[in-house]
């Protein structure tokens, strides 16, 4: 399995932007897809965005048209560009990698949207 390290979280005002990064290391030779999930206080974990090895993307309904997932050139890094942030986007954001051996998770990065 891979090791995933997220970065880029922080405090931002409503309407602002943040860019999250996730770097994968270890057994990265076969990753089917990578994704971002989030968990807000008192809520279940939800899919934010995903990207396959072929570059196909999908988004949660609440972030579509505001967030963009992409991969770095080395394909072991995935980014989440978050624009027009809302207070309801406040959550811990987790990076996920899907491989034949199972799924791997990062430790998460806190995103807080508040004035």
């Amino acid at each position: 399995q891979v090791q995933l390290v997220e970065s880029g979280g922080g405090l931002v005002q409503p309407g602002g932007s943040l860019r999250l990064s996730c770097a994968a290391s270890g057994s990265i030779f076969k990753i089917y897809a990578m994704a971002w999930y989030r968990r807000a206080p008192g809520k279940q974990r939800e899919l934010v965005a995903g990207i396959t090895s072929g570059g196909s993307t999908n988004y949660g309904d609440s972030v579509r048209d505001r967030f963009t997932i992409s991969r770095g050139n080395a394909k072991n890094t995935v980014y989440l560009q978050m624009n027009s942030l809302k207070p309801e986007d406040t959550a811990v954001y987790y990076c996920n990698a899907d491989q034949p051996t199972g799924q791997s998770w990062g430790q998460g990065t806190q995103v807080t949207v508040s004035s």
Side-chain angles (χ1 to χ4, degrees), residues 34-38 44-51 56-69 80-83 86 88-89 93:
M34 295 184 73
W36 288 96
Y37 287 78
R38 69 186 182 188
Q44 290 186 332
R45 185 178 60 199
E46 63 173 343
L47 173 69
V48 177
I51 185 166
S56 298
T57 59
N58 64 299
Y59 295 91
D61 290 340
S62 63
V63 306
R64 199 181 310 276
D65 299 326
R66 297 189 297 123
F67 292 8
T68 302
I69 190 170
L80 184 68
Q81 178 67 43
M82 305 185 294
N83 298 328
K86 305 175 181 180
E88 50 264 42
D89 294 317
Y93 285 69

Side-chain angles (χ1 to χ4, degrees), residues 8-112:
L11 173 64
V12 63
Q13 291 187 342
S17 298
L18 279 176
R19 188 191 195 208
L20 304 183
S21 300
C22 173
S25 60
S27 301
I28 63 172
F29 66 96
K30 186 65 175 180
I31 296 178
Y32 290 143
M34 295 184 73
W36 288 96
Y37 287 78
R38 69 186 182 188
R39 176 173 283 162
K43 295 187 177 182
Q44 290 186 332
R45 185 178 60 199
E46 63 173 343
L47 173 69
V48 177
I51 185 166
T52 68
S53 58
S56 298
T57 59
N58 64 299
Y59 295 91
D61 290 340
S62 63
V63 306
R64 199 181 310 276
D65 299 326
R66 297 189 297 123
F67 292 8
T68 302
I69 190 170
S70 61
R71 293 180 304 181
N73 291 333
K75 298 187 178 181
N76 66 326
T77 303
V78 64
Y79 304 100
L80 184 68
Q81 178 67 43
M82 305 185 294
N83 298 328
S84 302
L85 282 161
K86 305 175 181 180
E88 50 264 42
D89 294 317
T90 295
V92 179
Y93 285 69
Y94 298 91
C95 183
N96 169 273
D98 187 18
Q99 295 181 279
T101 53
Q103 297 202 19
S104 300
W105 295 91
Q107 291 190 332
T109 185
Q110 176 71 45
V111 172
T112 302

